[in-house]
Amino acid sequence: MKKCCHPMRKNTARHNSVAYFFISHSSFLSFLSFLSFLSFLISSCARMGSPDGGWFDDDPPRILGCMPADQAVNVTTKKITIYFDEYIKLEDPTQSVMVSPPQLEMPEIKAAGKKIVVELKDSLKPNTTYTVDFSDAITDNNEGNPLGNYTYTFSTGEQIDTFEVSGYVIDASNLEAVKGISVGLYDNLADSVFRKEPLMRIGRTDGTGHFVIKGVAPGEYRVYALQDADGDYKFTQKSEMIAFSHTAYQTSSKPDVRQDTIWRDSLHIDNIVQVPYIHYYPDDIVMLAFKEVQTDRYLLKTERKEPNKIDIFFSYGHPELPVIKGLNFDADSAFIIESSQKNDTLAYWLRDTLLVNKDTLEFSMQYMKTDSMGVLVSQTDTIEAIAKVPYQKRLKNLQKEVEDWQKEQQKKKKKDLPYDSIYPPKPLNVKYNLPSSMNPSSVIFIEAPTPLQHMDTTAIHLYSKIDTLWYRAPFDFRQQGSTPRHYQLIAEWHPDTEYSLEVDSAAFIDIYGLASKPVKQGIKVKSLDEFSTLTFELTGLRDTAIVVQLLDKSDKCVRQVRADKNGEATFFYIDPGTYYARAFVDSNGNNCWDTGNYDADLQPEDVYYYSQSVECKAKWDITQRWKLTQEPRNRQKPREIIQQKADKDKKRLQNRNADRAKKLGIEYVKRATP
């Protein structure tokens, strides 16, 4: 018997199906609404309100584990793996990561996804604590949240050494922080160890010159700093910056408490908490770094930029000048020699214009050179001095100058102006530093471009104006340097007085026959009311010769005086402005700061900074008391003239959400870190 499919029954079934769909869909929407409400409640527990765009990820990466484990002992493997809970970045591992004891063969350090792998290449030392100091180089991949200063430690022996040694390294010449220099320890207290053995344990300075050496065993140590040029972790080259001290430091520690600040947002402090920790000593070492004078002598280069002069550069000077023998010219009496103060730079001026016009001069040069054993020996080189601009090109340039001059003369003739048809010789361009106004202690410098053959001091006149009349003023004219090119004019300049310097034509004639032009220049000496006088009263050191330097805002010396036997250093005729001061102990009395020497057990001359600026005003006499040793030298230099700026700290971005919530007027409660 067949079933009858009644049309009405079909419609009823269809309607029931549709009704079931709507009921199910409604339940599903209710379920979604419930989930949204529940999610809102959970979110509200952490944050009251939800600003558009979502919240920032302000959590640093977390370490899930290490292989071998951090602080592990009896380790034999040279491969270390550190695992994180998210993808991470490792910034410049060759510079940021420090392995101690130092590795003679560079370890391989790399970040890969959620882990860091360190492979040591050197053999592991027995019973030694190893530290891998990552500093703040580890950040998460997305937001750049830094992990913070992290050091991984393991030991090849039965125990972990936990002591630390810290301090600062500063440049001995200017007290600037020395960034990136290695600082290490020796338990061998012999002076010779720095040259013979690698540093035992090391740290590296940051932008403030601060260093921390970790994983140190209990004991007594000497501390050294080394800007290692060849990667052997010992002092082998004079070009390496070093610092050394005979002080032996004993490691120690004690419980201590520090204050940590908890910020509500970037402007408001939420709380200051007391945090207990272990304080390691010594923590206040100050190392004065320096480079030794480069005494190894060798030829750097020779050049002939100007056709009439051959320049010769040595790495270091020698009292005996080289012996020159011409190969394609007669070198006897061919030169006027100009030497630098240390005889490391020599200028050979050609007397004869025939030699000047010769494009290539060949000669042998015998000089003293340091050999591989550090001993001065005689060396002979063959030199080709080639003019930078060939003679033919110089001749064409001269012809063009003559043609241009003749055209100019023809233009003048058309205007019925008198002219001389003979091309005049070029004058000797003598330079004078003649300011329109100066202070009473000034000196006038005169410089000729080439050595002089003749100088007529009777052609130089100085006049001073008294009331309305001009009178001759006395002066002293002196040669400065080894060759007749530089001169000084020294006079007793009276304040608030007008002077006139007049030099006749042909007062100076050089070795090529060029004569100087006449010069007339008015000079006004400032009134005493326009200056300030500054005196420093020095204390803190006894029976020492001290030189005080007045500095500008760029840390450059503008004036220098020696302190008298009472410890007073006075600067007269100071222009109004802001100044700083530096002093150094002039042990050898040469008025210059001198560096140290390790083999001679000689420290660099001590340098001190006045820790404040000094404001000098017109008509003011200022006296400042200065105790040179009042503050540690790493804290003496004023912040305004420090050149080596501190590294920018990588800060967690934990206040961004609080700042954002504050702008939106809602409360933000940071979730607890699991």
Side-chain angles (χ1 to χ4, degrees), residues 586-642:
D586 189 20
S587 302
N588 56 7
N590 65 350
N591 286 324
C592 298
W593 178 84
D594 292 293
T595 188
N597 185 286
Y598 181 75
D599 292 331
D601 194 21
L602 182 66
Q603 292 284 352
E605 291 179 331
D606 286 326
V607 172
Y608 304 90
Y609 270 78
Y610 189 62
S611 60
Q612 303 172 14
S613 63
V614 180
E615 187 70 28
C616 293
K617 298 181 180 180
K619 300 183 181 181
W620 282 36
D621 291 341
I622 304 170
T623 300
Q624 300 285 346
R625 293 183 178 180
W626 182 3
K627 186 176 181 180
L628 299 172
T629 57
Q630 185 171 356
E631 296 180 5
R633 274 184 274 184
N634 63 297
R635 298 207 304 261
Q636 287 186 0
K637 192 165 187 176
R639 183 185 301 271
E640 297 82 6
I641 59 173
I642 290 177

Side-chain angles (χ1 to χ4, degrees), residues 39 158 246 253 288 299 309 383 510 552 558 622 672 674:
S39 175
E158 296 287 343
H246 292 308
S253 65
L288 299 172
L299 178 64
K309 184 180 64 166
I383 308 295
D510 75 351
D552 61 15
V558 294
I622 304 170

Side-chain angles (χ1 to χ4, degrees), residues 459-463 500-504 519-521:
I460 303 173
H461 316 281
L462 183 66
Y463 301 97
S500 177
L501 178 65
E502 300 177 13
V503 182
D504 299 339
V519 172
K520 184 176 181 179
Q521 173 70 50

Side-chain angles (χ1 to χ4, degrees), residues 316-321 338-347 480-483 486 590-592 594:
Y316 192 71
H318 193 272
E320 296 180 9
L321 296 179
E338 180 180 1
S339 62
S340 63
Q341 185 177 4
K342 296 181 180 180
N343 275 0
D344 54 358
T345 302
L346 306 174
Q480 183 184 21
S482 61
T483 190
H486 300 89
N590 65 350
N591 286 324
C592 298
D594 292 293

Side-chain angles (χ1 to χ4, degrees), residues 531-572:
F531 299 107
S532 176
T533 301
L534 174 60
T535 300
F536 287 102
E537 296 179 349
L538 308 177
T539 60
L541 297 176
R542 291 184 178 181
D543 302 327
T544 53
I546 299 175
V547 173
V548 181
Q549 296 176 327
L550 201 63
L551 312 173
D552 61 15
K553 293 181 180 180
S554 60
D555 199 28
K556 292 182 180 179
C557 177
V558 294
R559 296 275 291 278
Q560 174 176 303
V561 298
R562 294 185 71 86
D564 62 22
K565 62 181 180 179
N566 298 319
E568 289 190 358
T570 302
F571 295 91
F572 297 100

